[in-house]
Amino acid sequence: MIAMELVNGRPADCAGRLEKEIRCYDLLDSLGIDYQRIDHEAAMTMEDCKEVDQLLEAVICKNLFLCNRQATEFYLLLLPGDKPFKTKLLSKQIGSARLSFASAEHMEALLDITPGSVSVLGLMNDAQRRVHLLIDNDLLADEYLGCHPCINTSTLRIAMGDVLHKLIPAMGHEPAFVILPWNPEE
């Protein structure tokens, strides 16, 4: 069991870390973005992230990698971790055929990440800009964003302002903001 503690910045020793994780730290550092990090056991679900959430004092957002029925359009949706999601409501809002979860193969090919590790930082690997970034408006109220550095054994806390005004522009993506209801049945 890893003793979880909040530390500033990248690991002092990156031995044994994946290259894609180190690239995340390199990008954040090159942009002058301050971040805190917690290393932990693999977190595959939002439930696994609850303890990390508390230590980070940040809401870890739900990151959903979606595609249209033909798997020709891909979307990364960021929304509050405890917010329910209905594809029908999002599909209608963005004018797309019904959305579903994209395959692990597409996730790896387009974002160089695997299931359980999806985060906004994966967009740094989308050089061809094939993935559309969608951000639920409710996330904008949070001071910090909690996200994985392309691997689910660490979680970062980054100021939301830095994510929106430094990180996303540096990755060459233009977010579309969506409004999804807390109670999608109403």
Coordinates of all heavy atoms in Angstrom, one line a residue, residues 81-178:
G81 N -17.3 14.8 -10.9 CA -17.2 13.4 -10.7 C -18.5 12.8 -10.2 O -18.8 11.6 -10.5
D82 N -19.3 13.5 -9.5 CA -20.5 12.9 -8.9 C -21.8 13.3 -9.8 O -22.9 13.0 -9.4 CB -20.7 13.4 -7.5 CG -20.7 14.9 -7.3 OD1 -20.4 15.6 -8.3 OD2 -21.1 15.3 -6.2
K83 N -21.6 13.9 -10.9 CA -22.7 14.3 -11.8 C -23.1 13.1 -12.7 O -22.3 12.5 -13.4 CB -22.3 15.5 -12.6 CG -23.5 16.1 -13.3 CD -23.1 17.4 -14.0 CE -24.2 18.3 -14.2 NZ -23.8 19.6 -14.8
P84 N -24.4 12.8 -12.7 CA -24.8 11.7 -13.7 C -24.7 12.2 -15.1 O -24.7 13.4 -15.4 CB -26.3 11.5 -13.3 CG -26.7 12.6 -12.4 CD -25.5 13.3 -12.0
F85 N -24.6 11.2 -16.0 CA -24.4 11.5 -17.4 C -25.4 10.7 -18.3 O -25.5 9.5 -18.1 CB -23.0 11.2 -17.8 CG -22.7 11.3 -19.3 CD1 -22.8 12.5 -20.0 CD2 -22.4 10.2 -20.0 CE1 -22.6 12.6 -21.3 CE2 -22.2 10.2 -21.4 CZ -22.3 11.4 -22.0
K86 N -26.0 11.4 -19.2 CA -26.9 10.7 -20.2 C -26.5 11.2 -21.5 O -26.4 12.3 -21.9 CB -28.4 11.2 -20.0 CG -29.0 10.7 -18.6 CD -29.4 9.3 -18.7 CE -30.1 8.9 -17.4 NZ -30.4 7.5 -17.4
T87 N -26.1 10.2 -22.3 CA -25.6 10.5 -23.7 C -26.6 11.2 -24.5 O -26.2 12.1 -25.3 CB -25.1 9.2 -24.4 OG1 -26.2 8.4 -24.6 CG2 -24.0 8.5 -23.7
K88 N -27.8 10.9 -24.4 CA -28.9 11.5 -25.2 C -28.9 13.1 -25.1 O -29.0 13.8 -26.1 CB -30.2 11.0 -24.8 CG -31.4 11.5 -25.6 CD -32.7 10.9 -25.1 CE -33.9 11.6 -25.7 NZ -35.1 11.1 -25.2
L89 N -28.7 13.5 -23.8 CA -28.8 15.0 -23.6 C -27.5 15.7 -24.2 O -27.6 16.8 -24.7 CB -28.8 15.3 -22.1 CG -30.1 14.7 -21.4 CD1 -30.0 14.9 -19.9 CD2 -31.3 15.4 -22.0
L90 N -26.4 15.1 -24.1 CA -25.2 15.7 -24.7 C -25.2 15.6 -26.2 O -24.9 16.6 -26.8 CB -23.9 15.0 -24.1 CG -22.6 15.5 -24.7 CD1 -22.4 17.0 -24.3 CD2 -21.4 14.7 -24.2
S91 N -25.6 14.5 -26.7 CA -25.7 14.3 -28.2 C -26.5 15.4 -28.8 O -26.1 16.0 -29.8 CB -26.3 12.9 -28.5 OG -25.5 11.9 -28.1
K92 N -27.7 15.7 -28.2 CA -28.6 16.7 -28.7 C -27.9 18.1 -28.6 O -28.0 18.9 -29.6 CB -29.9 16.7 -27.9 CG -30.9 17.7 -28.4 CD -32.2 17.5 -27.6 CE -33.2 18.5 -28.1 NZ -34.5 18.4 -27.3
Q93 N -27.2 18.4 -27.5 CA -26.6 19.7 -27.3 C -25.5 20.0 -28.3 O -25.3 21.1 -28.7 CB -26.1 19.8 -25.9 CG -25.9 21.2 -25.4 CD -25.6 21.2 -23.9 OE1 -24.8 22.0 -23.5 NE2 -26.3 20.5 -23.1
I94 N -24.7 18.9 -28.7 CA -23.6 19.2 -29.6 C -24.0 18.8 -31.0 O -23.1 18.9 -31.9 CB -22.3 18.5 -29.1 CG1 -22.5 16.9 -29.2 CG2 -21.9 18.9 -27.8 CD1 -21.2 16.2 -29.0
G95 N -25.2 18.4 -31.3 CA -25.6 18.1 -32.6 C -25.0 16.9 -33.2 O -24.6 16.9 -34.4
S96 N -24.8 15.9 -32.4 CA -24.1 14.7 -32.9 C -25.1 13.5 -32.9 O -26.0 13.5 -32.1 CB -22.9 14.3 -32.0 OG -22.4 13.1 -32.3
A97 N -24.8 12.5 -33.7 CA -25.5 11.2 -33.6 C -25.3 10.7 -32.2 O -24.3 11.1 -31.5 CB -25.0 10.3 -34.6
R98 N -26.1 9.9 -31.7 CA -26.0 9.3 -30.3 C -24.6 8.9 -30.0 O -23.9 8.2 -30.8 CB -27.0 8.1 -30.2 CG -27.0 7.6 -28.8 CD -28.2 8.2 -28.1 NE -28.3 7.8 -26.7 CZ -29.4 7.4 -26.1 NH1 -30.5 7.4 -26.8 NH2 -29.3 7.0 -24.9
L99 N -24.1 9.4 -28.9 CA -22.7 9.1 -28.5 C -22.7 7.8 -27.6 O -23.6 7.5 -27.0 CB -22.2 10.2 -27.6 CG -22.1 11.6 -28.3 CD1 -21.7 12.7 -27.3 CD2 -21.1 11.6 -29.5
S100 N -21.5 7.2 -27.7 CA -21.3 6.0 -26.8 C -19.8 6.1 -26.4 O -19.0 7.0 -26.9 CB -21.5 4.7 -27.6 OG -20.7 4.6 -28.7
F101 N -19.4 5.2 -25.5 CA -18.0 5.2 -25.1 C -17.1 4.7 -26.2 O -17.4 3.7 -26.8 CB -17.9 4.4 -23.8 CG -18.5 5.0 -22.6 CD1 -19.8 4.6 -22.2 CD2 -17.9 6.0 -21.9 CE1 -20.4 5.2 -21.1 CE2 -18.5 6.6 -20.9 CZ -19.8 6.2 -20.5
A102 N -16.1 5.4 -26.4 CA -15.1 5.0 -27.5 C -14.3 3.8 -27.0 O -14.2 3.6 -25.8 CB -14.2 6.2 -27.8
S103 N -13.8 3.1 -27.9 CA -13.0 1.9 -27.6 C -11.7 2.2 -26.9 O -11.1 3.3 -27.1 CB -12.7 1.0 -28.8 OG -11.8 1.7 -29.7
A104 N -11.1 1.2 -26.2 CA -9.8 1.3 -25.6 C -8.8 1.5 -26.7 O -7.8 2.2 -26.5 CB -9.5 0.1 -24.7
E105 N -9.0 0.9 -27.8 CA -8.0 1.0 -28.9 C -8.0 2.5 -29.4 O -6.9 3.0 -29.7 CB -8.4 0.0 -30.1 CG -8.2 -1.4 -29.7 CD -9.3 -2.0 -28.9 OE1 -10.4 -1.4 -28.8 OE2 -9.1 -3.0 -28.2
H106 N -9.1 3.1 -29.6 CA -9.2 4.5 -30.0 C -8.5 5.4 -29.0 O -7.8 6.3 -29.3 CB -10.6 4.9 -30.3 CG -11.1 4.5 -31.6 ND1 -12.2 3.6 -31.8 CD2 -10.7 4.7 -32.9 CE1 -12.4 3.4 -33.1 NE2 -11.5 4.0 -33.8
M107 N -8.8 5.1 -27.7 CA -8.3 5.9 -26.6 C -6.7 5.9 -26.7 O -6.1 6.9 -26.6 CB -8.8 5.3 -25.3 CG -8.4 6.1 -24.1 SD -9.0 5.3 -22.5 CE -10.8 5.2 -22.8
E108 N -6.2 4.7 -26.8 CA -4.7 4.6 -26.9 C -4.2 5.2 -28.1 O -3.1 5.9 -28.1 CB -4.3 3.1 -26.8 CG -2.9 3.0 -26.4 CD -2.5 1.7 -25.7 OE1 -3.4 0.8 -25.5 OE2 -1.3 1.5 -25.5
A109 N -4.8 5.0 -29.3 CA -4.3 5.5 -30.5 C -4.4 7.1 -30.6 O -3.4 7.7 -31.1 CB -5.1 5.0 -31.7
L110 N -5.4 7.7 -30.0 CA -5.6 9.1 -30.1 C -5.0 9.9 -29.0 O -4.5 11.0 -29.1 CB -7.1 9.5 -30.3 CG -7.8 8.9 -31.5 CD1 -9.2 9.2 -31.5 CD2 -7.2 9.5 -32.8
L111 N -5.0 9.3 -27.7 CA -4.6 10.0 -26.6 C -3.4 9.4 -25.8 O -2.9 10.0 -24.8 CB -5.8 10.2 -25.6 CG -7.0 10.9 -26.1 CD1 -8.1 10.9 -25.0 CD2 -6.6 12.4 -26.5
D112 N -3.0 8.2 -26.3 CA -1.9 7.5 -25.6 C -2.2 7.2 -24.1 O -1.3 7.4 -23.3 CB -0.5 8.2 -25.8 CG 0.6 7.3 -25.3 OD1 0.5 6.1 -25.3 OD2 1.7 7.9 -25.0
I113 N -3.4 6.9 -23.9 CA -3.8 6.5 -22.5 C -4.7 5.3 -22.5 O -5.2 4.9 -23.6 CB -4.6 7.7 -21.8 CG1 -5.7 8.3 -22.7 CG2 -3.6 8.8 -21.3 CD1 -6.4 9.4 -22.1
T114 N -4.8 4.7 -21.4 CA -5.6 3.5 -21.3 C -6.8 3.7 -20.3 O -6.8 4.7 -19.6 CB -4.8 2.3 -20.7 OG1 -4.2 2.8 -19.4 CG2 -3.6 1.9 -21.6
P115 N -7.9 2.9 -20.4 CA -9.0 3.1 -19.5 C -8.6 3.2 -18.1 O -7.7 2.5 -17.6 CB -9.8 1.8 -19.7 CG -9.5 1.4 -21.2 CD -8.0 1.7 -21.3
G116 N -9.2 4.2 -17.4 CA -8.9 4.4 -16.0 C -7.9 5.6 -15.8 O -7.7 6.1 -14.7
S117 N -7.3 6.0 -16.9 CA -6.3 7.0 -16.9 C -6.6 8.3 -17.7 O -5.8 9.2 -17.9 CB -4.9 6.5 -17.5 OG -4.5 5.4 -16.7
V118 N -7.9 8.3 -18.2 CA -8.3 9.4 -19.0 C -8.3 10.7 -18.3 O -8.7 10.8 -17.2 CB -9.7 9.2 -19.6 CG1 -10.1 10.3 -20.5 CG2 -9.8 7.8 -20.3
S119 N -7.7 11.7 -18.9 CA -7.7 13.1 -18.3 C -7.5 14.1 -19.4 O -7.0 13.8 -20.5 CB -6.7 13.2 -17.2 OG -5.4 13.6 -17.7
V120 N -7.7 15.4 -19.1 CA -7.4 16.5 -20.0 C -6.0 16.4 -20.5 O -5.7 16.8 -21.6 CB -7.8 17.8 -19.4 CG1 -6.9 18.2 -18.3 CG2 -7.9 18.9 -20.5
L121 N -5.1 15.9 -19.7 CA -3.7 15.9 -20.1 C -3.4 15.0 -21.3 O -2.4 15.1 -22.0 CB -2.8 15.5 -18.9 CG -2.5 16.7 -17.9 CD1 -2.1 16.2 -16.6 CD2 -1.6 17.7 -18.5
G122 N -4.3 14.0 -21.5 CA -4.2 13.1 -22.7 C -4.2 13.9 -24.0 O -3.7 13.4 -25.0
L123 N -4.8 15.1 -24.0 CA -4.9 15.9 -25.2 C -3.6 16.3 -25.7 O -3.4 16.6 -26.9 CB -5.8 17.1 -25.0 CG -7.3 16.8 -24.8 CD1 -8.1 18.0 -24.4 CD2 -7.9 16.0 -26.0
M124 N -2.6 16.3 -24.9 CA -1.2 16.7 -25.3 C -0.7 15.7 -26.4 O 0.2 16.0 -27.2 CB -0.2 16.8 -24.2 CG 0.1 15.5 -23.5 SD 1.1 15.7 -22.0 CE 2.6 15.0 -22.6
N125 N -1.3 14.5 -26.4 CA -0.9 13.4 -27.3 C -1.7 13.4 -28.6 O -1.5 12.6 -29.5 CB -0.9 12.1 -26.6 CG -0.1 12.0 -25.4 OD1 1.1 12.4 -25.5 ND2 -0.6 11.5 -24.3
D126 N -2.7 14.3 -28.7 CA -3.6 14.4 -29.8 C -3.1 15.4 -30.8 O -3.7 16.4 -31.0 CB -5.0 14.7 -29.4 CG -6.0 14.8 -30.5 OD1 -5.8 14.1 -31.5 OD2 -7.0 15.5 -30.3
A127 N -2.0 15.1 -31.4 CA -1.3 16.0 -32.4 C -2.2 16.4 -33.6 O -2.1 17.5 -34.1 CB 0.0 15.5 -32.8
Q128 N -3.0 15.5 -34.0 CA -3.9 15.7 -35.2 C -5.2 16.4 -34.8 O -6.0 16.6 -35.7 CB -4.1 14.4 -35.9 CG -2.9 13.8 -36.5 CD -3.2 12.5 -37.2 OE1 -4.2 11.9 -37.0 NE2 -2.2 12.1 -38.0
R129 N -5.4 16.7 -33.5 CA -6.6 17.4 -33.0 C -7.9 16.7 -33.4 O -8.8 17.3 -33.9 CB -6.6 18.8 -33.5 CG -5.4 19.6 -33.3 CD -5.0 19.9 -31.8 NE -3.8 20.7 -31.7 CZ -2.6 20.2 -31.4 NH1 -2.4 18.9 -31.3 NH2 -1.6 21.0 -31.3
R130 N -7.9 15.4 -33.3 CA -9.1 14.6 -33.6 C -10.1 14.5 -32.5 O -11.2 14.1 -32.8 CB -8.6 13.1 -34.0 CG -7.8 13.1 -35.2 CD -8.0 12.0 -36.2 NE -9.2 11.3 -36.2 CZ -9.4 10.0 -36.2 NH1 -8.3 9.2 -36.2 NH2 -10.6 9.5 -36.3
V131 N -9.7 14.9 -31.3 CA -10.6 14.8 -30.1 C -11.1 16.1 -29.8 O -10.3 17.1 -29.6 CB -9.9 14.1 -28.9 CG1 -10.8 14.0 -27.7 CG2 -9.3 12.7 -29.3
H132 N -12.4 16.3 -29.7 CA -13.1 17.5 -29.3 C -13.2 17.6 -27.8 O -13.7 16.6 -27.2 CB -14.5 17.6 -30.0 CG -14.5 17.5 -31.4 ND1 -14.1 18.5 -32.3 CD2 -14.8 16.4 -32.2 CE1 -14.2 18.0 -33.5 NE2 -14.6 16.8 -33.5
L133 N -12.8 18.6 -27.2 CA -12.9 18.8 -25.8 C -14.2 19.5 -25.4 O -14.5 20.5 -25.9 CB -11.7 19.7 -25.3 CG -11.7 20.0 -23.8 CD1 -11.7 18.7 -22.9 CD2 -10.5 20.9 -23.4
L134 N -15.0 18.8 -24.5 CA -16.2 19.3 -24.0 C -16.1 19.4 -22.5 O -15.7 18.5 -21.8 CB -17.4 18.3 -24.3 CG -17.5 17.9 -25.8 CD1 -18.6 16.8 -25.9 CD2 -17.9 19.1 -26.6
I135 N -16.4 20.6 -22.0 CA -16.3 20.9 -20.5 C -17.7 21.3 -20.0 O -18.3 22.2 -20.5 CB -15.3 22.0 -20.2 CG1 -13.9 21.6 -20.7 CG2 -15.3 22.2 -18.7 CD1 -12.9 22.6 -20.6
D136 N -18.2 20.5 -19.0 CA -19.5 20.9 -18.4 C -19.3 22.2 -17.6 O -18.3 22.4 -16.9 CB -19.9 19.8 -17.4 CG -21.2 20.0 -16.8 OD1 -21.3 20.9 -15.9 OD2 -22.2 19.4 -17.2
N137 N -20.2 23.1 -17.8 CA -20.1 24.4 -17.2 C -19.9 24.4 -15.6 O -19.3 25.2 -15.0 CB -21.3 25.3 -17.5 CG -21.1 26.2 -18.7 OD1 -20.0 26.2 -19.3 ND2 -22.1 26.9 -19.1
D138 N -20.5 23.4 -15.0 CA -20.4 23.3 -13.5 C -19.0 23.1 -13.1 O -18.7 23.4 -11.9 CB -21.3 22.1 -13.0 CG -22.8 22.5 -13.1 OD1 -23.1 23.7 -13.0 OD2 -23.6 21.6 -13.2
L139 N -18.1 22.6 -13.9 CA -16.7 22.4 -13.5 C -16.0 23.8 -13.3 O -15.1 23.9 -12.5 CB -15.9 21.6 -14.5 CG -15.8 20.1 -14.3 CD1 -14.9 19.6 -15.4 CD2 -15.3 19.8 -13.0
L140 N -16.5 24.8 -14.0 CA -15.9 26.1 -14.0 C -16.0 26.8 -12.6 O -15.2 27.7 -12.3 CB -16.5 27.0 -15.0 CG -16.4 26.5 -16.5 CD1 -17.1 27.4 -17.4 CD2 -15.0 26.2 -16.9
A141 N -16.9 26.3 -11.7 CA -17.0 26.8 -10.4 C -16.0 26.3 -9.4 O -15.8 26.9 -8.4 CB -18.4 26.5 -9.8
D142 N -15.3 25.3 -9.8 CA -14.2 24.7 -9.0 C -12.9 25.5 -9.1 O -12.5 25.8 -10.2 CB -14.0 23.2 -9.3 CG -15.2 22.4 -9.0 OD1 -15.9 22.7 -8.1 OD2 -15.4 21.4 -9.8
E143 N -12.3 25.7 -8.0 CA -11.0 26.4 -8.0 C -9.9 25.5 -8.6 O -9.0 26.0 -9.2 CB -10.6 26.8 -6.5 CG -9.3 27.6 -6.4 CD -9.0 28.0 -5.0 OE1 -9.8 27.7 -4.1 OE2 -8.0 28.7 -4.8
Y144 N -9.9 24.2 -8.3 CA -8.9 23.3 -8.8 C -9.5 22.1 -9.6 O -10.7 21.8 -9.3 CB -8.1 22.7 -7.6 CG -7.3 23.7 -6.8 CD1 -7.8 24.2 -5.6 CD2 -6.1 24.1 -7.3 CE1 -7.1 25.1 -4.9 CE2 -5.4 25.0 -6.6 CZ -5.8 25.5 -5.4 OH -5.1 26.5 -4.7
L145 N -8.7 21.6 -10.5 CA -9.1 20.4 -11.2 C -8.2 19.3 -10.8 O -7.0 19.5 -10.7 CB -9.0 20.6 -12.7 CG -9.3 19.5 -13.6 CD1 -10.8 19.3 -13.7 CD2 -8.8 19.7 -15.0
G146 N -8.8 18.1 -10.4 CA -8.0 17.0 -10.1 C -7.9 16.1 -11.4 O -9.0 15.7 -11.9
C147 N -6.8 15.7 -11.8 CA -6.7 14.8 -13.0 C -5.4 13.9 -12.9 O -4.5 14.2 -12.3 CB -6.7 15.6 -14.3 SG -5.3 16.7 -14.5
H148 N -5.5 12.9 -13.7 CA -4.3 11.9 -13.8 C -3.3 12.5 -14.8 O -3.7 13.0 -15.8 CB -4.8 10.6 -14.2 CG -5.7 9.8 -13.3 ND1 -5.3 9.7 -12.0 CD2 -6.9 9.2 -13.5 CE1 -6.3 9.0 -11.4 NE2 -7.2 8.7 -12.3
P149 N -2.0 12.2 -14.6 CA -1.0 12.6 -15.6 C -0.8 11.4 -16.6 O 0.3 10.8 -16.7 CB 0.2 12.8 -14.7 CG 0.1 11.9 -13.6 CD -1.4 11.9 -13.3
C150 N -1.9 11.1 -17.3 CA -2.0 10.0 -18.3 C -1.7 8.6 -17.7 O -1.4 7.7 -18.4 CB -1.0 10.3 -19.4 SG -1.5 11.8 -20.4
I151 N -1.7 8.5 -16.4 CA -1.5 7.2 -15.7 C -2.3 7.3 -14.4 O -2.4 8.3 -13.8 CB 0.0 6.9 -15.4 CG1 0.2 5.5 -14.9 CG2 0.6 7.9 -14.5 CD1 0.1 4.5 -16.0
N152 N -3.0 6.2 -14.0 CA -3.9 6.2 -12.9 C -3.3 5.9 -11.6 O -4.0 5.5 -10.6 CB -5.2 5.4 -13.2 CG -4.9 3.9 -13.3 OD1 -3.7 3.5 -13.2 ND2 -5.9 3.1 -13.5
T153 N -2.0 6.0 -11.4 CA -1.4 5.8 -10.1 C -0.9 7.1 -9.5 O -0.1 7.1 -8.5 CB -0.2 4.8 -10.3 OG1 0.7 5.2 -11.3 CG2 -0.7 3.4 -10.6
S154 N -1.2 8.2 -10.1 CA -0.9 9.6 -9.6 C -2.1 10.4 -10.0 O -2.8 10.2 -11.0 CB 0.3 10.2 -10.2 OG 1.5 9.5 -9.8
T155 N -2.3 11.4 -9.1 CA -3.4 12.4 -9.4 C -2.8 13.8 -9.1 O -2.1 14.0 -8.1 CB -4.7 12.2 -8.6 OG1 -5.1 10.8 -8.9 CG2 -5.8 13.2 -9.0
L156 N -3.1 14.8 -10.0 CA -2.6 16.1 -9.9 C -3.7 17.1 -9.5 O -4.9 16.9 -9.9 CB -2.0 16.6 -11.2 CG -0.9 15.7 -11.8 CD1 -0.4 16.3 -13.1 CD2 0.2 15.4 -10.9
R157 N -3.4 18.1 -8.8 CA -4.3 19.2 -8.5 C -3.7 20.4 -9.2 O -2.6 20.9 -9.0 CB -4.4 19.5 -7.0 CG -5.3 20.7 -6.7 CD -5.5 20.9 -5.3 NE -4.3 21.4 -4.6 CZ -4.2 21.7 -3.3 NH1 -5.2 21.4 -2.5 NH2 -3.1 22.1 -2.8
I158 N -4.5 21.0 -10.2 CA -4.1 22.1 -11.0 C -5.1 23.2 -10.9 O -6.3 22.9 -10.9 CB -3.9 21.7 -12.4 CG1 -3.0 20.5 -12.6 CG2 -3.4 22.9 -13.3 CD1 -2.9 19.9 -14.0
A159 N -4.7 24.4 -10.7 CA -5.7 25.5 -10.7 C -6.5 25.6 -12.0 O -6.0 25.5 -13.1 CB -5.0 26.9 -10.5
M160 N -7.8 25.7 -11.8 CA -8.7 25.7 -13.0 C -8.4 26.8 -14.0 O -8.4 26.6 -15.2 CB -10.2 25.8 -12.5 CG -11.2 25.7 -13.7 SD -11.2 24.1 -14.5 CE -12.1 23.2 -13.2
G161 N -8.0 27.9 -13.5 CA -7.5 29.0 -14.3 C -6.4 28.6 -15.2 O -6.3 29.0 -16.4
D162 N -5.4 27.9 -14.6 CA -4.3 27.4 -15.4 C -4.7 26.4 -16.5 O -4.1 26.4 -17.6 CB -3.2 26.9 -14.5 CG -2.4 27.9 -13.7 OD1 -2.4 29.1 -14.1 OD2 -1.7 27.6 -12.7
V163 N -5.6 25.5 -16.1 CA -6.1 24.5 -17.1 C -6.7 25.2 -18.3 O -6.4 24.9 -19.4 CB -7.1 23.6 -16.4 CG1 -7.7 22.7 -17.4 CG2 -6.4 22.7 -15.3
L164 N -7.6 26.2 -18.0 CA -8.3 26.9 -19.0 C -7.5 27.8 -19.9 O -7.7 27.9 -21.1 CB -9.5 27.6 -18.4 CG -10.6 26.7 -17.8 CD1 -11.6 27.6 -17.1 CD2 -11.3 25.9 -18.9
H165 N -6.6 28.6 -19.2 CA -5.9 29.7 -19.9 C -4.5 29.4 -20.3 O -3.9 30.1 -21.1 CB -6.0 30.9 -19.0 CG -7.4 31.3 -18.7 ND1 -8.3 31.7 -19.6 CD2 -8.0 31.3 -17.5 CE1 -9.4 32.0 -19.0 NE2 -9.3 31.7 -17.7
K166 N -3.9 28.3 -19.8 CA -2.5 28.0 -20.2 C -2.4 26.6 -20.8 O -1.9 26.4 -21.9 CB -1.6 28.0 -18.9 CG -1.4 29.4 -18.3 CD -0.4 29.3 -17.1 CE -0.2 30.6 -16.5 NZ 0.7 30.5 -15.3
L167 N -2.9 25.6 -20.1 CA -2.8 24.2 -20.5 C -3.5 23.9 -21.8 O -2.9 23.4 -22.7 CB -3.2 23.2 -19.4 CG -3.0 21.7 -19.7 CD1 -1.6 21.4 -19.9 CD2 -3.6 20.9 -18.5
I168 N -4.8 24.1 -21.8 CA -5.6 23.7 -23.0 C -5.2 24.5 -24.2 O -5.0 23.9 -25.3 CB -7.1 23.9 -22.7 CG1 -7.6 22.9 -21.6 CG2 -8.0 23.8 -23.9 CD1 -9.0 23.1 -21.1
P169 N -4.9 25.8 -24.1 CA -4.4 26.5 -25.3 C -3.1 25.9 -25.8 O -2.8 25.8 -27.0 CB -4.3 27.9 -24.9 CG -5.3 28.1 -23.8 CD -5.3 26.8 -23.0
A170 N -2.2 25.6 -24.9 CA -0.9 25.1 -25.2 C -1.0 23.7 -25.9 O -0.1 23.4 -26.8 CB 0.0 24.9 -24.0
M171 N -2.0 23.0 -25.7 CA -2.2 21.7 -26.3 C -3.0 21.9 -27.6 O -3.2 20.9 -28.4 CB -3.0 20.7 -25.4 CG -2.2 20.3 -24.2 SD -3.0 19.1 -23.1 CE -4.5 19.9 -22.6
G172 N -3.4 23.1 -28.0 CA -4.0 23.4 -29.3 C -5.4 22.9 -29.4 O -5.9 22.8 -30.5
H173 N -6.1 22.8 -28.3 CA -7.5 22.5 -28.3 C -8.4 23.7 -27.9 O -8.0 24.4 -27.0 CB -7.8 21.3 -27.4 CG -7.3 20.0 -28.0 ND1 -6.0 19.6 -28.1 CD2 -8.0 19.0 -28.6 CE1 -5.9 18.5 -28.7 NE2 -7.1 18.1 -29.0
E174 N -9.6 23.8 -28.5 CA -10.5 24.8 -28.1 C -11.7 24.1 -27.5 O -12.4 23.3 -28.1 CB -11.0 25.5 -29.4 CG -11.9 26.7 -29.1 CD -11.3 27.9 -28.5 OE1 -10.1 28.2 -28.8 OE2 -12.0 28.5 -27.7
P175 N -11.9 24.3 -26.2 CA -13.0 23.6 -25.5 C -14.4 24.2 -25.9 O -14.5 25.4 -26.3 CB -12.8 23.9 -24.0 CG -12.0 25.2 -24.0 CD -11.2 25.2 -25.3
A176 N -15.4 23.3 -26.0 CA -16.8 23.7 -26.1 C -17.4 23.5 -24.7 O -17.1 22.4 -24.1 CB -17.5 22.8 -27.1
F177 N -18.2 24.4 -24.3 CA -18.8 24.3 -22.9 C -20.2 23.9 -23.1 O -20.9 24.4 -23.9 CB -18.7 25.7 -22.2 CG -17.2 26.1 -22.0 CD1 -16.6 26.9 -22.8 CD2 -16.5 25.6 -20.9 CE1 -15.2 27.2 -22.6 CE2 -15.2 25.9 -20.7 CZ -14.6 26.7 -21.6
V178 N -20.6 22.9 -22.3 CA -21.9 22.3 -22.3 C -22.6 22.4 -21.0 O -21.9 22.6 -20.0 CB -21.8 20.8 -22.8 CG1 -21.3 20.7 -24.2 CG2 -21.0 20.0 -21.8

